[in-house]
């Protein structure tokens, strides 16, 4: 049976990989609609290749000229509200959200409300509004399938085992390009150095997040919501080869791992064909060559992101949204040479310290906390740079 799919963030790293998976799966997948941020030329090419019914672009400048670029029969979607209606339309089975940051929150919620399954790459959505999203998922009885490689690995290892049998979820981290660096080394890091990731080829923001370990912090919060586990059940181990994508330790001490060469097309395909497994574009593991897998504890002194993330989970309420928003502002400042590399974690810490937590009882309080954190982080960075 064919799955009708919408891809949000189609021109990004995950979006392009998802379209390669769709082409590989052939008739099993039909791409109904695509949404992107600003690259309208690429979006138009994608729409033509996959015969989509509609396309949306967030950038208002680019949106004006979009209709003229699209092939006959493809509708140019003008507003966020129409986008939310279209992801909820009867012809959609699953929405893959791969928008960087939190702009995917509203369309994801609209799709869940309409009973659609979600393949979620945008971890920021769960970090910001985990309680709201998970409530909605439970209420509507839809599947929330994790695209993030660690969570997809955990999902596969957990395989619906009862929570009483689980002792730990162990997320692997590559350690990023600055594994083993001293505090002095980290002060001198430039955006170009931070953008050179040793094992994964990804979008800009997640690449910087991987270098600070903020990505792993965001993933701890993501795992907390996805699998309903407490922070002391979540661990991180540095594994530079990125072959073991994550592990589950059960109460009898047995550990299950999911492995493979690093390639996001596998978890994307897993989500699109779930619960079936199909031949994929994944290269086989070269076991005819010598292979070493290393594991080491993370350096929590020089990389405070993991502690900050666990603090955010424990604090609860609006704190994870604040953690996420402050990080987004600080990463942007770092990319524009307005913040040092260690300054990213310091800014997140300072904004969290200053936050008066509120219950995350609905979108309004979350969005207000997000907006406050962005303003306060910008202020903090202004002070640092003076
Ligand atoms: P990217 O920067 O390469 O792509 C982001 C996409 O989002 C682009 O298509 C961009 O046009 C689109 N976009 C931005 N703002 C938008 C808006 N307002 N409306 C619609 N589209 C918008 O990022 P990426 O590396 O593909 O990552 C996407 C998400 O997936 C992030 O949340 C990231 O944390 C997560 N993720 C990525 C990887 C990876 O390997 N790249 C792995 C795991 C999780
Ligand atoms: Mg990941």
């Amino acid at each position: 049976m064919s799955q009708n799919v919408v891809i949000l963030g189609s021109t990004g790293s995950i979006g392009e990989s998802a379209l390669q998976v769709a082409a590989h799966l052939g008739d099993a997948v039909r791409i109904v609609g695509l949404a992107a941020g600003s690259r309208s030329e690429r979006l138009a090419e994608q729409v033509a290749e996959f015969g989509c019914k509609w396309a949306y672009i967030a950038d208002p400048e680019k949106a004006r000229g979009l209709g003229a670029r699209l092939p006959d029969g493809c509708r140019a979607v003008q507003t966020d509200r129409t986008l939310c209606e279209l992801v909820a339309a009867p012809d959609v089975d699953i929405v893959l959200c791969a928008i960087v940051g939190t702009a995917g929150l509203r369309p994801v919620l609209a799709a869940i409300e309409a009973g659609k399954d979600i393949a979620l790459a945008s971890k920021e959505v769960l970090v910001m509004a985990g309680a709201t999203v998970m409530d909605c998922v439970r209420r509507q009885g839809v599947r929330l399938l994790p695209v993030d490689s660690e969570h997809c690995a955990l999902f596969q290892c957990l395989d619906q085992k009862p929570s009483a049998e689980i002792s730990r979820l162990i997320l692997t981290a590559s350690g990023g390009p600055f594994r083993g660096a001293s505090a002095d080394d980290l002060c001198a890091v430039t955006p170009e150095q931070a953008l050179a990731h040793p094992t994964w080829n990804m979008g800009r923001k997640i690449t910087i997040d991987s270098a600070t370990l903020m990505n792993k912090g965001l993933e701890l919060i993501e795992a907390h919501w996805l699998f309903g586990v407490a922070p002391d059940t979540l661990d991180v181990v540095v594994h530079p080869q990125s072959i073991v994508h994550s592990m589950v330790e059960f109460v009898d001490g047995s550990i299950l791992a999911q492995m493979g060469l690093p390639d996001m097309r596998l978890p994307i395909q897993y989500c699109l064909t779930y619960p079936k497994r199909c031949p994929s574009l994944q290269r086989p593991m070269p076991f005819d060559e010598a292979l070493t897998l290393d594991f080491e504890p993370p350096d929590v002194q020089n990389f405070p992101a993991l502690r900050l993330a666990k603090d955010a989970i424990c604090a609860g309420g609006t704190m994870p949204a604040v953690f996420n928003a402050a990080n987004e502002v600080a990463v942007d400042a770092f990319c524009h040479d307005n913040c040092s590399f260690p300054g990213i974690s310091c800014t997140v810490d300072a904004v969290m310290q200053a936050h008066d937590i509120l219950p995350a009882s609905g979108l309004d309080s979350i969005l207000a906390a997000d907006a406050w954190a962005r303003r306060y982080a910008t202020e903090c960075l202004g002070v640092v740079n003076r």
Side-chain angles (χ1 to χ4, degrees):
M1 207 188 72
S2 175
Q3 283 259 74
N4 285 347
V5 182
V6 167
I7 301 178
L8 307 175
S10 64
T11 58
S13 162
I14 293 284
E16 292 282 5
S17 294
L19 288 171
Q20 288 175 23
V21 170
H24 165 76
L25 291 173
D27 290 343
V29 157
R30 195 171 145 251
I31 307 295
V32 179
L34 296 176
S38 59
R39 292 179 53 210
S40 55
E41 298 87 350
R42 182 65 194 130
L43 180 68
E45 284 169 12
Q46 293 176 334
V47 160
E49 183 180 345
F50 288 89
C52 306
K53 294 202 324 199
W54 55 262
Y56 163 93
I57 202 119
D59 183 325
E61 288 278 299
K62 300 287 174 68
R64 257 181 296 237
L66 182 64
R69 288 184 188 277
L70 297 180
D72 287 349
C74 181
R75 170 178 174 193
V77 178
Q78 300 294 349
T79 65
D80 294 3
R81 184 192 286 193
T82 314
L83 176 65
C84 288
E85 281 166 15
L86 286 168
V87 294
D91 63 347
V92 175
D93 296 314
I94 183 164
V95 175
L96 190 157
C97 181
I99 297 179
V100 60
T102 51
L105 178 59
R106 282 187 196 280
V108 162
L109 282 174
I112 301 172
E113 285 290 0
K116 311 300 179 190
D117 289 335
I118 305 290
L120 189 69
S122 310
K123 60 196 85 185
E124 297 94 338
V125 164
L126 267 187
V127 172
M128 182 186 190
T132 306
V133 172
M134 295 312 290
D135 279 353
C136 200
V137 163
R138 275 186 287 270
R139 192 162 19 85
Q140 297 304 111
V142 302
R143 285 178 179 146
L144 179 57
L145 298 161
V147 171
D148 212 349
S149 57
E150 295 77 3
H151 305 74
C152 190
L154 293 170
F155 183 82
Q156 293 177 60
C157 296
L158 283 166
D159 199 21
Q160 299 175 14
K161 292 279 185 310
S163 56
E165 291 182 11
I166 295 149
S167 77
R168 266 196 306 168
L169 304 187
I170 306 160
L171 281 81
T172 51
S174 71
F178 310 123
R179 185 169 58 90
S182 69
D184 284 347
D185 294 341
L186 292 179
C187 285
V189 162
T190 63
E192 289 66 34
Q193 289 167 330
L195 283 167
H197 194 275
T199 49
W200 293 99
N201 184 9
M202 311 176 286
R204 275 176 83 84
K205 178 187 176 257
I206 184 174
T207 305
I208 304 291
D209 285 346
S210 299
T212 55
L213 292 200
M214 278 294 173
N215 181 50
K216 215 47 57 180
L218 294 166
E219 291 183 354
L220 285 172
I221 306 176
E222 184 186 11
H224 162 71
W225 288 115
L226 274 173
F227 305 116
V229 294
D232 57 0
T233 309
L234 292 166
D235 255 335
V236 172
V237 63
V238 172
H239 165 50
Q241 292 84 6
S242 301
I243 298 285
V244 171
H245 298 309
S246 278
M247 304 176 261
V248 175
E249 184 187 68
F250 294 91
V251 284
D252 59 1
S254 187
I255 295 177
L256 292 190
Q258 188 260 339
M259 295 170 51
L261 293 174
D263 186 337
M264 287 308 295
R265 293 177 301 184
L266 181 55
I268 292 167
Q269 171 168 317
Y270 182 83
C271 292
L272 294 183
T273 64
Y274 181 82
K276 257 177 68 179
R277 287 188 187 268
C278 305
S280 78
L281 296 162
Q282 176 83 9
R283 280 180 301 136
M285 281 287 289
F287 281 122
D288 49 346
E289 294 167 19
L291 174 69
T292 307
L293 300 180
D294 296 302
F295 298 96
E296 63 189 45
D299 172 356
V300 289
Q301 225 57 49
N302 282 327
F303 296 89
L306 302 179
R307 173 182 59 79
L308 293 171
K310 284 206 173 183
D311 287 352
I313 302 175
C314 294
T318 45
M319 194 59 103
V322 164
F323 170 89
N324 176 63
N327 179 55
E328 268 189 44
V329 172
V331 169
D332 190 59
F334 170 69
C335 288
H336 291 94
D337 292 322
N338 289 324
C339 174
S340 70
F341 184 78
I344 299 176
S345 299
C346 293
T347 304
V348 174
D349 198 353
V351 178
M352 285 174 67
Q353 301 267 354
H355 181 54
D356 291 325
I357 304 169
L358 288 171
S361 48
L363 271 196
D364 288 349
S365 59
I366 296 165
L367 293 172
D370 175 276
W372 172 84
R374 282 171 203 272
R375 276 196 310 274
Y376 194 78
T378 308
E379 256 173 55
C380 290
L381 287 160
V383 172
V384 167
N385 293 327
R386 226 168 268 154

